[in-house]
Amino acid sequence: MSSLSVTDKLTILRSLSGIELEQTSESVWMPTSIEFEVGSELGVLWQPPESETRWRIAIEEAETIPLSFAVLLLIVASIAALLVIVWIEFLHLDRKRAHFETVMRQIARGRGTLPQGVVDSSGTLKELAYSFDSMSTHIQRLLKVQREMINAISHELRTPIARLRFGLEVLKDDVDDQLEQSISALEFDVEELNTLVDEVLTYGKLEEGTLALNFEKISIKQILDGIVDHNQALLQKLDVNVNVIGDDIVNADSHHLHRALQNLILNASKYANSSIAITFTEDTERWQVDIEDDGPGIPVEDRDKVFIPFQRLDNSRTRASGGYGLGLAIVQRIAFWHGGAVLVEESETLGGAKFSLIWSRSQHQNSLS
């Protein structure tokens, strides 16, 4: 620094931040002496050697935060950080709760078990995840045993049923008219038993997803007209109105769509007083068939029960009306494998029940193209 000129030193001082440099007339008892002033600034009095000019160098004292305020600020910041951490953890727990809720609904509908790597399966909800997984695995095992047992029994029943049908047919050739009527009644009972076995096997395959579906372009009007004509004996006392709105070509498995619609129409015929309305509509995303009747309808609290296998309602839907409680369950599974659903509500036009079979236009579209 001793090699620098006074001008260079002054230039350096002026370039420093927080330094105030000004000439002063205050006396300095010796050159380059330093005196500190009392106040908000530190004052340095400087007179270069061989110079009559005196300079006052003021160093601004930095503003300091009071200790109490600093402590308060630290406490507030800590609380805010803790609240943020708690909120983030709460959001994580809420997402895990929502995930568990979704999985539990799927298990309740019989659609699977807890997936591998379930959210927080090794964290705060580890025990809950393990308990749910054990429960769902046990339930699935029981359901599997039940399905296998029902399918096995149904398959085993086919052989004796066929023998009974054959035996009764042979007996009819060698009996009088009175016994022939009794044999015809037995044949009707055997046919009902055969129908039940067929429905059980069909529902089992639809539930497991092992039933092969062949999607193709078909005419919904042709299917509906065919069902009405084929079941004319059951529908002859009813006014059946079929209304097809728009293009009647749909993408579906012909056999199973025919079965689903026939189940819905025959179900309506059991409870209709005089009229059944069948309406087909379409839009850019889906196809829909509505089947309405003027019967007693279905109470709101019972509408979900009608799709449960072997479930029968306590009101008008009794064994006297026929059926085994599998028809609508089969319709629901067929709709599911068509990428759709079956809805039930009150008919606004006829006052009875209204079943809507809805399925997606995009389901299996790639296989056709």
Side-chain angles (χ1 to χ4, degrees):
M1 293 291 293
S2 59
S3 61
L4 295 176
S5 64
V6 174
T7 302
D8 292 337
K9 293 178 180 179
L10 292 174
T11 301
I12 293 174
L13 289 173
R14 290 191 179 97
S15 65
L16 298 176
S17 60
I19 298 296
E20 182 180 350
L21 181 65
E22 62 179 354
Q23 292 186 10
T24 181
S25 59
E26 298 178 38
S27 60
V28 181
W29 63 276
M30 66 176 294
T32 66
S33 65
I34 298 176
E35 296 180 3
F36 294 94
E37 296 181 351
V38 178
S40 61
E41 296 180 343
L42 295 177
V44 179
L45 299 179
W46 173 53
Q47 181 178 2
E50 301 178 355
S51 173
E52 296 180 357
T53 305
R54 300 168 185 171
W55 299 92
R56 181 178 181 275
I57 304 173
I59 303 175
E60 297 180 356
E61 185 178 5
E63 296 182 359
T64 59
I65 300 176
L67 180 60
S68 59
F69 181 77
V71 172
L72 178 62
L73 186 62
L74 180 61
I75 293 174
V76 171
S78 301
I79 294 175
L82 181 61
L83 290 176
V84 170
I85 294 174
V86 171
W87 177 251
I88 293 175
E89 185 63 24
F90 174 79
L91 291 179
H92 288 169
L93 287 174
D94 187 63
R95 281 196 293 268
K96 296 165 188 174
R97 178 204 58 78
H99 179 79
F100 272 110
E101 182 179 355
T102 301
V103 174
M104 290 307 102
R105 287 179 178 176
Q106 293 177 354
I107 294 175
R109 295 169 184 171
R111 296 183 182 177
T113 60
L114 285 180
Q116 294 293 329
V118 66
V119 174
D120 207 52
S121 58
S122 60
T124 55
L125 301 180
K126 179 180 179 181
E127 293 300 325
L128 180 61
Y130 176 78
S131 299
F132 275 133
D133 191 36
S134 300
M135 176 193 69
S136 63
T137 301
H138 182 64
I139 292 174
Q140 290 299 317
R141 188 184 304 114
L142 293 177
L143 291 175
K144 182 180 179 181
V145 171
Q146 181 189 48
R147 284 194 295 264
E148 290 177 349
M149 181 180 65
I150 293 176
N151 289 338
I153 293 174
S154 300
H155 278 292
E156 292 299 325
L157 284 174
R158 281 192 176 277
T159 300
I161 288 174
R163 290 175 181 171
L164 283 172
R165 295 173 69 179
F166 178 75
L168 292 173
E169 190 67 29
V170 171
L171 286 176
K172 288 177 66 176
D173 297 335
D174 301 321
V175 297
D176 55 25
D177 293 340
Q178 184 177 0
L179 286 177
E180 185 176 354
Q181 292 180 358
S182 299
I183 291 175
S184 296
L186 290 174
E187 284 182 328
F188 180 78
D189 291 337
V190 171
E191 189 60 34
E192 278 197 331
L193 182 58
N194 185 63
T195 301
L196 173 60
V197 170
D198 179 64
E199 288 191 348
V200 169
L201 291 175
T202 300
Y203 180 77
K205 292 178 180 179
L206 287 169
E207 183 71 19
E208 294 177 358
T210 58
L211 202 62
L213 299 180
N214 179 29
F215 284 80
E216 57 184 345
K217 296 292 185 180
I218 54 177
S219 169
I220 193 70
K221 179 174 173 48
Q222 184 177 353
I223 290 179
L224 292 174
D225 290 341
I227 294 173
V228 174
D229 293 340
H230 182 73
N231 296 279
Q232 191 60 40
L234 297 174
L235 303 174
Q236 59 182 350
K237 296 182 180 180
L238 300 172
D239 179 20
V240 181
N241 181 27
V242 179
N243 185 22
V244 176
I245 302 174
D247 186 7
D248 71 327
I249 302 301
V250 301
N251 174 28
D253 180 277
S254 177
H255 172 73
H256 291 94
L257 180 62
H258 182 283
R259 179 155 193 169
L261 293 174
Q262 179 170 265
N263 285 3
L264 290 175
I265 293 172
L266 294 182
N267 180 74
S269 70
K270 296 174 186 177
Y271 309 107
N273 294 322
S274 60
S275 300
I276 296 177
I278 305 172
T279 306
F280 168 78
T281 56
E282 50 137 1
D283 57 30
T284 57
E285 296 182 354
R286 64 183 184 177
W287 293 289
Q288 179 170 333
V289 179
D290 298 325
I291 300 173
E292 308 173 64
D293 63 69
D294 61 348
I298 304 175
V300 176
E301 62 272 14
D302 292 333
R303 290 176 183 173
D304 289 336
K305 298 178 183 178
V306 297
F307 300 108
I308 301 176
F310 302 106
Q311 179 74 31
R312 303 188 63 83
L313 305 184
D314 294 331
N315 49 21
S316 64
R317 298 180 180 254
T318 61
R319 181 63 67 186
S321 63
Y324 305 95
L326 273 176
L328 294 179
I330 290 175
V331 172
Q332 186 185 52
R333 298 313 297 170
I334 291 175
F336 173 78
W337 291 114
H338 278 73
V342 185
L343 307 179
V344 57
E345 56 187 348
E346 181 181 355
S347 172
E348 297 180 356
T349 57
L350 299 181
K354 174 183 177 181
F355 285 86
S356 298
L357 175 61
I358 305 169
W359 71 102
S360 172
R361 280 179 173 268
S362 60
Q363 185 76 357
H364 297 275
Q365 188 65 38
N366 293 335
S367 62
L368 293 178
S369 58

